[in-house]
Structures are given as C-alpha cells and as structure tokens.
Amino acid sequence: MQANTVQTNESAPSPAQVSSQRDGPILEMRNIVKRFPGVLALEDVNFDVRRGEVHALIGENGAGKSTLMKILSGVYTRDGGEIIFKGQPVHFSNPRQAQDAGITTIYQELNLIPQLSVTENIFLGSELERGPLLDWAEMHNQSRKLLARLHLKIDPRVRVGTLGVAQQQMVEVAKALHHQSDLIIMDEPTSALSLNEINDLFTIIQQLKSEGVSVIYISHHLEETFVVSDRITVLRDGRHVATRATRELNIDSLISLMVGRQLSEKFPKEVTARGPEVLRVEGLTQGDRLIDISFSAYAGEVLGIAGLVGAGRTELVRAIFGADPIDRGAIYVNGQRVSIRSPRDAIRHGIGLLTEDRKQQGLVLKLTTRDNITLAVLRNLTSGPMTNGRKEASVAQRYIQNLSIKTSGLHQMVMDLSGGNQQKVVLSKWLATEPRVLIFDEPTRGIDVGAKVEIYRLMNQLAKQGVAILMISSELPEILGMSDRIMVISQGRVAGFLDRNEATQEKIMQYAANVETNQSGNGNNS
C-alpha cells in the first residue's frame, strides 16, 4: 500500500535496486528540522528503522520524540529534511495518508470510540460492503481472525468501552494488522498495563517482528527497552545523540546519553525534621471501597501510600479531597475538624491533589500555560468583576521560572507541552494555593528520568517548607526512595505502616497481599 503522496521514479527499479530496498531500512528520516514559534524543536535529526526490528526511541520530555513521530505520521509538516519509506520519498499531509502507506500509530491515549463495537473500531473508515449493505458477517469474521492472531478471546461485537485498557490496546494492534501496517509506532504502550499484560504485549511484539513488521517503541520505563528492543536511538534537546545496539548499553549509560550527565542519585531524598500533625483522618469509610481508614500526616513528611492496583489508594485521596462522597469518618487539618464536601472545600482548607491522570483531571488542555497555572487561585486575582491580567501573568511567570517549565511563553497551549512540563504546570497550580497538604497520585507516571528527579527535588523543597506530602506510587523503588513513612492499603483497609529505615519491597508486598496482618504494622502510625 502507498499513499497518494508517495513520490516514485518513473522508470522501473533494477533487480539490484529491488534487492537493496528489501535488505535496507524500511524507514529513513534524514536531517529532519521542525520549528515552532520561538522554538527549534528538531535540528537535523536522523533516524532509521530496519525491517522486522523493534527500535526504541528514547529521550527526556521535550527531547523531540513526539514531534519526530508526528512528522512521520502526518500530524506535523517538517520544515526540512526528507523521509524515505519502503525505498521511496514520501510526504504525508495527514495521518490517513501515513496509514494508507503502511504506518500506524498507537498513542498513549487510545484512539478508539468506546460506544462502537470492536469490529466497528477495527474497520472504521474501511468497512466492507455486500451490495447496498455493510457485510457485518465478514467484518466480524475477519475481526475474530485478527483477535485470534493476538491470542485474544474477545467477542468482536462487544462495545470497546466495556473492555479493559489492556484489551483496548490490543484492539489498536488489531486495527494496525487490519491495515496491513509495515511499521507500528507504540507510544508509551505499557503506561496503564499490569505486569502480566506487559508480558503479553511483549509476546505480541515478538510475533509482529517474526512476521516482518517493524516497531518504533517509545517508553519512559527504560527497563522495558532492554527487554523488547533491538536498537535504541536517543534524542536530547531536539538533536540526535546516539543510535546503539541495545546489547551495547545499560541503564546508567542510557541515562547518561539522555540527560548529558550522570544521575548519581535516582531518588535524591532529603530527610526533614518532622513537624506537628497537619492532617488526621479518622474512620473514613466509603461503601466497601474504603473501610475504617485512620492515619496522620505531619509537616515536613512524605507519607508514601502503597498497595496493589484496586486496593483503594486513589479512592482514599479523592475522598479526602472531596471529589467523592464518604459514608462516615472525620478529617482534621491543623487539629481542627473540617467539613470537605467538594474540591473547593479542600482547597479552602489547604489541600491540593495532583491527580493520577493529569490530562483528563489535572489540566484544561485547550487553555494556555498561564490559564492552567492560575486556575485554582483566580478568586485572588480579580479586580472587581474582572480578572487582573497583570497579576495573573505575574503568578504564572513566577512558577514557570521557579519550576523551569519549558514553554515558549505564557500563552503556549498546555496541550503542546511535554509530559514532564505538563506535570510541572499541574504542580504550579497547586503551589499557587499555598497548600498545607499536597497529595501526589502517581507523580512521575509517563515522565522521563530527568523530570522525575526534578519532581523529587521539588518534593524535598516543599517538605522543608513544612508541607505534609502524601504520595501514591505503584513503583515500589519510588515509594522506598522518597517516603519517610509508608502506609500500605489492601482491599480498602490500612494493612500496616512502615518506617523508612525498616521498609523493604518484601514487607510492603506482604502487607499489600494480606490485610489480616496486624493493622498498625509495627504499631507505628505516628
């Protein structure tokens, strides 16, 4: 398949040329340049992918990975350079042209329509007809074959919205197979998958390789790249840094290439003297999701909240923040019982929440960087009935500078920022409220190692300023590396508490898997 924009030589290729095309790379991106207003996003970037290869594309947030892939898939137009795909120069004006040529992108935010069936999603835009009617029998049949090829036992007639995230992702892969893609771009494909689901995905990727399909694999989980990839290309600040065989690298050398320096300390924890109690929760209950949860958090402390997926961690912090109602229980801030029935109440009492899903719940993607930073404090920035634009700009600019947010200016759309910079914008929004308690729900999900370290250092600064921090993380090294104490949740209950100096991954997992353990851990909730 070829897009109608593929440029070809008029004379037929010689046998030697055909052999060269078959044995050479399926994709070559040469000297790619992309400029945005005030920003040189890509500068003479070279990147190639071989046939039947998994090629990992790695770099910090803002390194240019997404921009390069959007140029390849027809979302952006390049300002310089050329693309050779299957031996021929191409220029895609939109994603449909790239797809018709054999390039499919599976984004972190899945491109499916939840209200439609699996079959309807797979065949969307390429439906089969029998006379004047759609040939549903044949489309369901082909969908079953595609799903079976991926070892999925899914009825193709079910609505996609009823499937889990992992199954939806496999439906995206089935779509790519239906379009006979020669090259599949996977952008953060494991961000919402369990360990078993990740292993299943890797098995499917190996199957695609064996069938001659090439895969570009983008992930911030560096360990994954060593399991799944054949080669790794590193971008930094919009430039090509290196392309190496995966076997020639290790985690430390890869991180050094990404950030241009050695990250001597992955978790730069600074222990701060614990201050007075800031937050106390007593007997918080919400149906069978949260059962009689009690704990305290203190000024200058990072209280890690650990547990298995579905244990009730996010439900707990949403209840504290007033996003979800509770059946009973009491919340105290600075020793005073408070009534929190909405996020507005929580903000008024000095509680902020960086949500797990920053794009859906933490940001307004179609607003500017300035608008998002000041969103929670607009009442303090008004003069009469109008917002004071000068004050608003001053607040936003202060946090852009203090948190080193990489943006072209106050008015850049937040949807165009990298993941790490979006997370800094969310953090800025809550810092502007001067919180007493700041809750981080999966604070480093989907951001690179350099941005992670920046977030950790900001947490250290906040702790020094006397903020009580609650941190949910599914990454046990992060919990162990940054917490002063750890509260383990299991099946909606507090399973135990562990001090920093006694906590291990094994102890956390013991509590997480067995709620019958002594409810106070080592008897220490204080």
Side-chain angles (χ1 to χ4, degrees):
M1 274 180 274
Q2 295 176 353
N4 55 15
T5 54
V6 173
Q7 302 166 15
T8 63
N9 296 322
E10 292 189 13
S11 59
S14 68
Q17 290 174 319
V18 171
S19 176
S20 175
Q21 290 176 11
R22 183 176 62 247
D23 298 333
I26 190 171
L27 169 72
E28 293 179 87
M29 303 183 75
R30 302 171 180 169
N31 305 115
I32 301 299
V33 175
K34 181 61 183 177
R35 296 182 182 88
F36 295 107
V39 177
L40 180 58
L42 295 173
E43 183 177 356
D44 293 324
V45 170
N46 292 290
F47 177 68
D48 70 90
V49 181
R50 298 167 183 164
R51 296 172 187 272
E53 173 188 48
V54 178
H55 196 138
L57 183 60
I58 302 299
E60 292 190 87
N61 289 108
K65 306 183 301 296
S66 295
T67 301
L68 186 66
M69 291 300 97
K70 286 179 178 178
I71 288 172
L72 174 59
S73 59
V75 176
Y76 291 159
T77 300
R78 63 184 183 270
D79 296 315
E82 63 177 341
I83 300 174
I84 309 297
F85 185 58
K86 293 190 287 189
Q88 299 181 11
V90 295
H91 181 86
F92 304 125
S93 300
N94 56 62
R96 180 60 184 268
Q97 291 178 353
Q99 180 175 281
D100 289 344
I103 300 173
T104 296
T105 303
I106 301 175
Y107 294 102
Q108 184 176 358
E109 292 81 22
L110 299 178
N111 190 26
L112 298 171
I113 302 177
Q115 295 78 16
L116 298 184
S117 70
V118 171
T119 294
E120 288 171 313
N121 273 277
I122 290 174
F123 280 85
L124 191 63
S126 59
E127 292 83 356
L128 303 180
E129 297 178 350
R130 185 172 58 185
L133 304 175
L134 295 179
D135 192 348
W136 287 110
E138 182 57 25
M139 286 191 288
H140 287 319
N141 181 52
Q142 290 191 26
S143 295
R144 287 190 187 92
K145 290 180 179 178
L146 289 170
L147 296 170
R149 188 172 162 190
L150 299 173
H151 307 291
L152 292 176
K153 297 179 180 179
I154 299 174
D155 184 341
R157 295 169 296 183
V158 303
R159 285 193 304 109
V160 160
T162 65
L163 303 177
V165 174
Q167 291 177 317
Q168 290 186 28
Q169 201 156 49
M170 293 304 102
V171 172
E172 286 273 28
V173 176
K175 281 176 58 179
L177 295 177
H178 165 64
H179 290 291
Q180 301 178 34
S181 299
D182 300 290
L183 175 64
I184 300 176
I185 304 166
M186 295 187 176
D187 188 0
E188 296 289 347
T190 64
S191 59
L193 303 186
S194 69
L195 182 58
N196 287 336
E197 291 165 342
I198 290 172
N199 289 333
D200 290 342
L201 176 64
F202 287 173
T203 299
I204 289 168
I205 289 174
Q206 293 304 315
Q207 180 181 332
L208 292 172
K209 272 186 59 177
S210 69
E211 296 173 1
V213 177
S214 303
V215 176
I216 299 174
Y217 191 89
I218 302 173
S219 178
H220 290 303
H221 296 283
L222 301 185
E223 296 84 356
E224 294 177 5
T225 64
F226 287 92
V227 176
V228 76
S229 69
D230 300 296
R231 286 192 298 160
I232 297 175
T233 287
V234 178
L235 300 184
R236 185 171 71 234
D237 297 329
R239 297 180 178 89
H240 175 271
V241 173
T243 297
R244 304 272 179 80
T246 303
R247 63 179 179 274
E248 297 175 358
L249 296 167
N250 57 36
I251 290 288
D252 290 339
S253 61
L254 182 56
I255 289 174
S256 181
L257 288 170
M258 288 173 59
V259 302
R261 62 189 185 278
Q262 294 291 335
L263 285 181
S264 57
E265 194 173 358
K266 191 173 182 181
F267 301 105
K269 172 66 176 174
E270 297 178 20
V271 177
T272 302
R274 194 170 83 175
E277 179 189 81
V278 177
L279 174 71
R280 184 165 84 252
V281 174
E282 293 183 351
L284 192 149
T285 299
Q286 183 191 78
D288 58 359
R289 295 180 295 278
L290 302 171
I291 303 168
D292 196 27
I293 290 183
S294 299
F295 69 93
S296 296
Y298 299 85
E301 175 186 53
V302 177
L303 176 63
I305 304 178
L308 302 175
V309 174
R313 298 168 302 167
T314 295
E315 290 81 357
L316 171 62
V317 297
R318 284 179 57 85
I320 294 170
F321 190 63
D324 296 325
I326 63 174
D327 297 328
R328 60 181 181 276
I331 299 174
Y332 297 81
V333 176
N334 289 343
Q336 300 294 316
R337 183 166 180 170
V338 297
S339 175
I340 299 179
R341 297 184 178 181
S342 69
R344 181 176 294 178
D345 292 337
I347 294 169
R348 189 171 68 250
H349 291 298
I351 301 174
L353 170 61
L354 281 82
T355 55
E356 178 181 14
D357 188 339
R358 62 176 171 265
K359 289 189 176 181
Q360 295 296 322
Q361 300 173 351
L363 297 167
V364 182
L365 293 175
K366 294 187 178 180
L367 293 183
T368 66
T369 301
R370 182 194 71 173
D371 294 337
N372 274 275
I373 290 175
T374 59
L375 199 57
V377 292
L378 281 178
R379 288 188 171 188
N380 304 329
L381 303 175
T382 56
S383 298
M386 304 294 291
T387 301
N388 187 316
R390 185 176 299 175
K391 286 183 179 179
E392 189 177 10
S394 176
V395 169
Q397 190 61 48
R398 181 167 75 248
Y399 287 105
I400 288 173
Q401 293 174 349
N402 290 348
L403 274 66
S404 301
I405 300 173
K406 294 181 181 178
T407 172
S408 62
L410 294 173
H411 300 291
Q412 182 171 4
M413 302 298 287
V414 77
M415 65 189 298
D416 294 328
L417 299 180
S418 66
N421 287 301
Q422 287 180 347
Q423 187 74 323
K424 289 181 183 179
V425 170
V426 179
L427 181 54
S428 298
K429 176 180 70 175
W430 293 117
L431 294 181
T433 68
E434 300 181 352
R436 302 182 183 95
V437 178
L438 196 51
I439 304 168
F440 291 78
D441 191 352
E442 303 288 359
T444 63
R445 174 172 288 172
I447 65 177
D448 62 74
V449 289
K452 285 182 179 181
V453 172
E454 290 186 69
I455 296 295
Y456 298 148
R457 288 178 175 151
L458 287 168
M459 291 171 67
N460 287 334
Q461 293 176 19
L462 291 168
K464 288 180 180 178
Q465 294 167 13
V467 176
I469 296 174
L470 276 59
M471 181 184 71
I472 295 174
S473 178
S474 297
E475 298 184 22
L476 289 183
E478 184 170 75
I479 285 283
L480 292 166
M482 292 304 299
S483 302
D484 296 293
R485 281 189 307 137
I486 298 167
M487 177 173 67
V488 185
I489 303 293
S490 178
Q491 301 174 39
R493 300 176 184 270
V494 176
F497 291 87
L498 292 164
D499 286 329
R500 176 179 177 82
N501 57 9
E502 66 178 344
T504 64
Q505 291 197 29
E506 291 76 17
K507 287 183 178 180
I508 291 174
M509 291 308 298
Q510 286 173 3
Y511 283 127
N514 184 11
V515 75
E516 299 302 325
T517 309
N518 182 351
Q519 287 293 304
S520 62
N522 289 330
N524 184 15
N525 175 31
S526 59

